[in-house]
């Protein structure tokens, strides 16, 4: 899988969250077209929950939803009303764990699938700290000063769903680094526990018994299936951070144009051609090898479509003529494109 919208280290969020927020805002009076136009999110980007949306666009979507729904506390209401398992694979994994402790462990392992942001203060997004007061579930992400609504949404989900599973008293308090908002009364109503603002960290105080509690709400084999999928998504996310992954992401939509020069790609990556050369060399690749391998991979993909023709695939890959494509394909595979099509669609 190629991650779309991974822009030179820009933080990204799983499209499932944007999909859910759009649906919630529309149900509360906003129009879908206006939400997408104001946030810069394309409708097609929401079709796949595993797609990546730049965090800046998600924040714009949140602000647009607030205004269009006339609800400054919409982040809280969205979090309290949504089933997180409908939005992200990480929540599905948590629900398939044997215990809450295991759920927190895997939630931290796969947290980047939900929100990929640099600058985490420590190895985990949500570490648990046991104290005399109870178990603190800490939001260790360093973006909440920029967009406190993200933490509000997350905490609203936790404080709404944890008591449903473990009873009243499971959540004891909420601490937030952000200053008190104008809708602080609504915060208290949604969280259902005392809320303190301007704290040194954002965290939820839990009854320690919750951390040791059993879950096992899904068949045991489901956890293996879900974590295998999550491992693949993490690998794809890591690949997209590499120079090679960034180059491939830029090349994919350019192949059909034929404008795939190294100078063009280096310019789009805001680096010089020698710098791009050095970075690719450090990853054991050259630009020519990368472009050739990408065309090979995409040729196999396109030729597996029974409706495709060799001429069409040649154009999609940016070859000057079908004969040049046929020569390249035979070099890659030892077969002609037409022979490969017969094997691929058989």
């Amino acid at each position: 899988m190629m991650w779309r919208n991974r822009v030179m280290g820009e933080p990204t969020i799983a499209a499932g969250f944007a999909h859910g927020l759009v649906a919630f805002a529309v149900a509360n009076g906003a129009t879908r077209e206006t939400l997408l136009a104001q946030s810069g999110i394309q409708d097609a980007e929401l079709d796949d929950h595993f797609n990546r949306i730049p965090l800046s666009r998600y924040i714009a979507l949140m602000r647009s939803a607030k205004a269009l729904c006339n609800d400054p506390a919409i982040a809280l209401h969205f979090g309290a009303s949504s089933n997180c398992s409908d939005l992200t694979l990480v929540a599905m994994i948590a629900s398939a764990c044997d215990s809450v402790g295991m759920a927190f462990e895997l939630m931290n392992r796969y947290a980047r699938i939900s929100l990929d942001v640099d600058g985490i203060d420590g190895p985990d997004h949500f570490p648990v700290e046991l104290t005399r007061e109870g178990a603190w579930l800490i939001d260790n992400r360093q973006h909440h000063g920029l967009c406190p609504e993200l933490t509000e949404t997350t905490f609203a989900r936790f404080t709404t769903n944890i008591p449903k599973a473990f009873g009243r008293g499971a959540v004891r308090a909420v601490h937030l680094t952000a200053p008190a908002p104008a809708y602080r009364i609504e915060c208290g109503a949604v969280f259902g526990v005392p809320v303190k603002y301007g704290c040194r960290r954002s965290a939820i105080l839990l009854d320690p018994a919750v951390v040791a509690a059993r879950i096992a709400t899904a068949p045991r084999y489901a956890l293996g299936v879900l974590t295998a999928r999550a491992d693949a998504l993490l690998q794809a996310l890591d690949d997209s951070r590499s120079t090679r992954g960034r180059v491939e992401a830029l090349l994919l939509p350019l192949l059909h144009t034929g404008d795939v020069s190294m100078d063009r790609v280096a310019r789009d990556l805001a680096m010089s051609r020698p710098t791009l050369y050095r970075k690719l060399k450090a990853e054991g690749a050259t630009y020519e090898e990368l472009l050739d391998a990408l065309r090979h991979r995409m040729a196999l993909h396109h030729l597996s479509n029974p409706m495709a023709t060799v001429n069409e695939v040649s154009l999609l890959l940016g070859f000057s003529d079908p004969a040049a494509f046929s020569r390249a394909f035979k070099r890659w595979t030892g077969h002609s494109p037409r022979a490969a099509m017969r094997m691929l669609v058989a």
Side-chain angles (χ1 to χ4, degrees):
M1 173 183 290
M2 294 294 297
W3 291 122
R4 290 172 285 172
N5 296 325
R6 179 72 192 178
V7 184
M8 300 183 64
E10 180 180 0
T12 60
I13 192 168
F17 288 103
H19 176 92
L21 179 55
V22 167
F24 181 77
V26 168
N28 285 275
T31 59
R32 183 181 182 89
E33 294 76 12
T34 306
L35 285 166
L36 297 181
Q38 291 184 354
S39 64
I41 296 173
Q42 301 297 313
D43 205 4
E45 293 177 297
L46 303 182
D47 290 341
D48 182 358
H49 277 37
F50 298 126
N51 188 25
R52 309 303 301 179
I53 300 292
L55 182 59
S56 59
R57 295 185 191 174
Y58 181 79
I59 293 172
L61 176 64
M62 180 69 73
R63 302 288 159 77
S64 177
K66 280 187 176 187
L68 294 174
C69 297
N70 193 27
D71 181 5
I74 198 168
L76 292 168
H77 299 144
F78 171 51
S81 68
S82 59
N83 181 347
C84 202
S85 295
D86 294 336
L87 308 176
T88 173
L89 178 64
V90 179
M92 295 175 66
I93 290 172
S95 66
C97 290
D98 290 334
S99 67
V100 174
M102 177 187 287
F104 285 154
E105 178 183 342
L106 293 185
M107 183 174 70
N108 281 305
R109 176 178 174 181
Y110 297 118
R112 288 197 299 119
I113 294 174
S114 296
L115 178 65
D116 183 32
V117 57
D118 295 327
I120 300 301
D121 184 15
D124 294 332
H125 282 220
F126 295 102
V128 176
E129 179 183 296
L130 294 176
T131 69
R132 292 180 181 179
E133 301 168 288
W136 286 99
L137 177 62
I138 304 165
D139 184 345
N140 226 8
R141 303 168 299 180
Q142 294 303 293
H143 65 271
H144 48 68
L146 171 67
C147 182
E149 294 93 339
L150 287 170
T151 298
E152 288 178 358
T153 299
T154 301
F155 281 13
R157 287 196 187 101
F158 285 151
T159 58
T160 299
N161 293 308
I162 289 175
K164 288 179 181 177
F166 304 105
R168 294 185 63 182
V171 178
R172 296 177 174 176
V174 169
H175 285 190
L176 296 169
T177 58
Y183 49 88
R184 63 181 301 169
I185 294 177
E186 191 67 13
C187 290
V190 171
F191 293 142
V193 293
V195 184
K196 186 176 180 180
Y197 300 94
C199 302
R200 63 182 180 87
R201 64 187 184 184
S202 293
I204 298 174
L205 181 62
L206 303 174
D207 181 337
V210 171
V211 180
R214 306 289 294 177
I215 306 177
T217 59
R220 190 68 179 86
Y221 71 83
L223 183 61
V225 173
L226 294 170
T227 54
R229 175 62 170 151
D231 286 333
L233 290 170
L234 274 185
Q235 183 60 57
L237 193 56
D238 287 338
D239 289 345
S240 75
R241 284 171 167 251
S242 68
T243 301
R244 180 178 187 131
R246 290 164 60 195
V247 169
E248 287 185 341
L250 280 172
L251 281 174
L252 261 177
L254 294 176
L255 286 179
H256 76 281
T257 70
D259 184 12
V260 291
S261 69
M262 189 174 181
D263 288 332
R264 160 70 186 273
V265 172
R267 184 171 65 252
D268 287 350
L269 289 172
M271 63 178 71
S272 66
R273 180 190 174 106
T275 298
L276 177 57
Y277 174 84
R278 287 195 300 271
K279 286 180 176 291
L280 287 174
K281 185 178 180 181
E283 295 178 9
T286 69
Y287 183 80
E288 292 75 17
E289 291 170 346
L290 190 156
L291 175 59
D292 197 54
L294 181 61
R295 279 176 161 158
H296 177 193
R297 190 166 75 246
M298 295 309 298
L300 294 173
H301 170 74
H302 291 310
L303 290 173
S304 66
N305 180 355
M307 303 300 292
T309 68
V310 173
N311 285 356
E312 288 171 345
V313 175
S314 174
L315 289 173
L316 286 171
L317 299 180
F319 282 89
S320 57
D321 63 81
F325 168 56
S326 295
R327 288 193 296 271
F329 194 84
K330 193 163 186 178
R331 172 171 55 83
W332 295 327
T333 68
H335 301 284
S336 70
R338 286 185 173 82
M341 288 181 74
R342 290 193 292 270
M343 291 184 284
L344 290 168
V345 302

